Amino acid sequence: MTDQARHPENDIPGKPTSASRTTLSHIMTGSDTNLLGTVHGGVIMKLVDDAAGAVAGRHSGGPAVTASMDEMVFLEPVRVGDLVHVKAQVNWTGRSSMEVGVRVLAERWNESTPATQVGSAYLVFAAVDAEGRPRAVPHVIPETERDKRRYQEAQIRRTHRLARRRAIKELREKRAADGIQD
């Protein structure tokens, strides 16, 4: 079997991107609105987390928990009566973590016009065992040029996440060493 088909850190066979890709669709109602009369961002964020969680669980073959959400972007307001489609896929995998990319599209429930992208997000999930400890995940195998681009971009986001955490930790340690109490 090729290196790409097996995870470099374990002997679990890899899975293609399409194996866990999914779409969650939901019609927005009056109970989903905020004070401005559009759909509350938190409602969209929950749908994003639900779809991403399903993808992470499918890819890893078991429970996976949300570790972080990056770059939740709202591009257009969502209205009551919109049919929202949340499309998610695994972009990248580590030993026990996975980045899931999500696109949020909306269309009027009673019209046959094309859906418009209204948001996007990147979430990191950790696969866990029955005791809540990290467990190994299959390597994701990008299938298309778009999948390969998403994989490369996910590696950049991971590098930035780790560098940001490291810089914040170093700053806090320096402030503590200087006797500055927060």
Side-chain angles (χ1 to χ4, degrees):
M1 201 166 248
T2 67
D3 286 341
Q4 195 175 32
R6 291 214 179 262
H7 194 288
E9 297 178 18
N10 62 44
D11 201 31
I12 301 172
K15 286 186 179 179
T17 307
S18 62
S20 57
R21 188 178 290 141
T22 193
T23 300
L24 173 74
S25 298
H26 188 78
I27 294 178
M28 299 292 107
T29 66
S31 64
D32 298 319
T33 59
N34 59 27
L35 296 175
L36 299 175
T38 56
V39 173
H40 195 289
V43 170
I44 301 299
M45 290 173 77
K46 181 180 183 330
L47 293 173
V48 164
D49 192 44
D50 287 347
V55 166
R58 289 170 114 181
H59 182 84
S60 69
V65 296
T66 310
S68 70
M69 178 184 272
D70 285 351
E71 300 181 35
M72 181 72 215
V73 177
F74 298 98
L75 303 169
E76 299 283 337
V78 177
R79 302 172 294 158
V80 170
D82 279 352
L83 178 57
V84 172
H85 307 286
V86 183
K87 298 177 175 280
Q89 75 172 47
V90 173
N91 290 336
W92 175 90
T93 53
R95 190 187 63 74
S96 62
S97 63
M98 301 158 275
E99 184 196 89
V100 178
V102 181
R103 289 180 58 226
V104 183
L105 305 153
E107 62 182 305
R108 295 306 294 167
W109 70 274
N110 59 346
E111 297 175 8
S112 59
T113 55
T116 302
Q117 184 171 351
V118 296
S120 65
Y122 300 100
L123 296 89
V124 177
F125 279 78
V128 294
D129 63 18
E131 287 78 41
R133 293 184 305 250
R135 62 181 175 80
V137 299
H139 180 69
V140 67
I141 303 169
E143 298 172 281
T144 66
E145 286 305 314
R146 177 182 269 183
D147 293 341
K148 290 173 187 172
R149 175 185 52 80
R150 288 179 176 173
Y151 185 90
Q152 292 169 331
E153 290 173 357
Q155 289 177 307
I156 293 168
R157 281 187 292 275
R158 180 177 188 272
T159 299
H160 286 226
R161 267 192 307 274
L162 294 175
R164 184 178 61 237
R165 287 180 193 156
R166 191 170 35 257
I168 290 170
K169 180 181 178 198
E170 290 170 2
L171 174 64
R172 289 179 179 175
E173 289 170 352
K174 182 183 181 324
R175 289 175 59 85
D178 291 345
I180 302 170
Q181 299 292 323
D182 287 340

